[in-house]
Amino acid sequence: MAWTYALGALLSSLLVLLTYAVARPHHMATVAAAAATATMVALVGPGAAAYLAYRSDNVTAFRTTSLLSLVQTNAGVLADLAGRADQGARST
């Protein structure tokens, strides 16, 4: 996912740089510096935040939610229903 984000930031910066270069070619050095700075900020800021937030030592426990949690909670009931269905099928 990080590569996709980095590629998107780089392509957007290049597209803006190309558009500006066509419109105002005499300011190219300033625009290139601004594009490089914007790309670095777009990559380093969220990258550092993700690194600090999602380190494994920050996670104390994992918990499932939603449908998976419901299935895990009712696994005994589902096993009992399957057993009763098998008994009903054998008795007929």
Side-chain angles (χ1 to χ4, degrees):
M1 186 165 127
W3 288 108
T4 305
Y5 185 78
L7 184 63
L10 182 62
L11 288 177
S12 340
S13 294
L14 287 176
L15 182 64
V16 169
L17 181 63
L18 179 66
T19 304
Y20 196 81
V22 169
R24 297 180 180 241
H26 56 282
H27 294 303
M28 194 59 187
T30 304
V31 173
T37 302
T39 301
M40 291 307 296
V41 168
L43 295 176
V44 171
Y51 174 76
L52 293 173
Y54 297 111
R55 292 187 313 191
S56 60
D57 56 340
N58 287 343
V59 178
T60 56
F62 290 100
R63 197 181 92 206
T64 59
T65 58
S66 189
L67 185 59
L68 182 58
S69 177
L70 182 64
V71 170
Q72 286 176 340
T73 304
N74 295 324
V77 173
L78 295 173
D80 186 45
L81 286 173
R84 289 178 188 242
D86 284 343
Q87 286 176 352
R90 284 188 226 150
S91 65
T92 42

